[in-house]
Amino acid sequence: MKYLQFLILASFLAVGCSTSSVATKSVAETEEEEDTTSENTNGEAQYSYLALGDSYTIGESVEESERWPVQLTEELRDRGYAMAPPKIIARTGWTTADLIAGINSELNVQRDFDIVSILIGVNNQYQNKPITEYEEELREIFRKAINHSKKMEDGVFAVSIPDYGVTPFGAANQDEIGRDIDAFNEVFRRVAEEFDVSFYNITPISRRAADNPDLIADDDLHPSGMMYRLWVEHFMLNVVEKLPQE
């Protein structure tokens, strides 16, 4: 039974060499796609946003407009910031090592952004990667994120790992998953503090899905657009402060 669960969850989290359409696109195809998300700008774009992550950042199983980086961009536009479409470097199934490789492949060394977000780690947890390895690779991601931020650490923020144990798919192992996610998030928070980067804890919000199925996507695993909206509402005012104030 555990083996069957592993096979099913692997199909969602794309462990290893995923066969999903998102994971198998070439770097060039994905960069072109991600640079054209959320193109409805108000006049000439002045501010840029880089979102780094995995399935939660790419918005597995939700519409493109419901991805939380896209929702965040739209909220910033509504507040008068002429935001460019978000540059998203993320794939379903990515671990910290995969994200490092993705950043190296997809970003020009001189390309900088006004704000940069990081959300990574659920696949390290799921694949039973050592938490010490996660910590080491996470530091490398933070260094890269800061190097691609115009305001260095002041322009970067981290978003905690949601708890998929409260979803229908993870319910059978809810307690164990919850403990693991808390442990990984503690490392995530501590590394963010080391780099003086803002850390926004959305994990308690993700756990509301235990009582509200509308917060879960149709795949019974990933967040819905409504859930992503709650995340954005949670940290919106903090992110606004990272942009130049007139």
Side-chain angles (χ1 to χ4, degrees), residues 20 75 175 191 194 198 224 226 246:
S20 72
E75 282 292 324
D175 292 343
V191 172
E194 288 178 12
S198 302
S224 67
M226 183 183 298
E246 296 181 357

Side-chain angles (χ1 to χ4, degrees), residues 35 37-38 41 45-49 73 77 81-87:
D35 275 339
T37 56
S38 186
T41 57
Q46 296 178 332
Y47 304 109
S48 55
Y49 170 30
T73 298
R77 287 176 183 157
Y81 292 93
M83 298 293 299
K87 168 65 177 176

Side-chain angles (χ1 to χ4, degrees), residues 29-232:
E29 288 173 333
T30 305
E31 183 166 359
E32 180 180 358
E33 177 186 89
E34 300 312 337
D35 275 339
T36 58
T37 56
S38 186
E39 291 183 344
N40 184 23
T41 57
N42 299 321
E44 184 177 354
Q46 296 178 332
Y47 304 109
S48 55
Y49 170 30
L50 171 65
L52 305 173
D54 50 35
S55 61
Y56 296 126
T57 297
I58 200 63
E60 181 72 21
S61 297
V62 301
E63 296 295 325
E64 183 178 298
S65 61
E66 294 180 311
R67 298 169 175 174
W68 73 261
V70 174
Q71 292 196 51
L72 176 60
T73 298
E74 294 299 337
E75 282 292 324
L76 292 171
R77 287 176 183 157
D78 288 345
R79 293 173 180 270
Y81 292 93
M83 298 293 299
K87 168 65 177 176
I88 299 176
I89 299 181
R91 302 287 190 286
T92 296
W94 268 10
T95 64
T96 43
D98 297 317
L99 180 55
I100 290 170
I103 295 170
N104 291 341
S105 297
E106 297 189 36
L107 277 188
N108 184 296
V109 69
Q110 297 179 334
R111 187 168 182 184
D112 293 334
F113 297 81
D114 291 288
I115 51 175
V116 181
S117 66
I118 304 168
L119 197 179
I120 191 72
V122 70
N123 294 295
N124 291 71
Q125 178 272 330
Y126 178 69
Q127 295 182 40
N128 294 314
K129 300 286 187 181
I131 201 165
T132 52
E133 177 182 282
Y134 173 67
E135 183 172 352
E136 179 181 354
E137 293 173 347
L138 193 60
R139 287 194 176 95
E140 178 64 15
I141 290 169
F142 271 81
R143 283 190 287 268
K144 290 180 180 297
I146 290 170
N147 285 339
H148 285 291
S149 167
K150 293 179 182 178
K151 296 173 63 178
M152 304 299 287
E153 63 271 9
D154 289 341
V156 181
F157 65 96
V159 178
S160 69
I161 306 166
D163 183 359
Y164 70 92
V166 301
T167 67
F169 195 88
N173 300 301
Q174 179 176 348
D175 292 343
E176 179 182 358
I177 292 169
R179 287 192 297 270
D180 284 352
I181 294 298
D182 285 343
F184 273 77
N185 273 326
E186 177 56 29
V187 170
F188 201 177
R189 181 197 59 77
R190 177 161 45 81
V191 172
E193 288 181 354
E194 288 178 12
F195 284 88
D196 201 21
V197 165
S198 302
F199 182 80
Y200 304 140
N201 184 14
I202 56 80
T203 309
I205 298 175
S206 75
R207 287 172 172 152
R208 297 180 194 175
D211 301 312
N212 186 353
D214 290 338
L215 299 179
I216 303 171
D218 291 341
D219 65 6
D220 285 340
L221 174 61
H222 290 91
S224 67
M226 183 183 298
M227 170 74 82
Y228 287 139
R229 166 60 54 184
L230 294 176
W231 295 8
V232 170

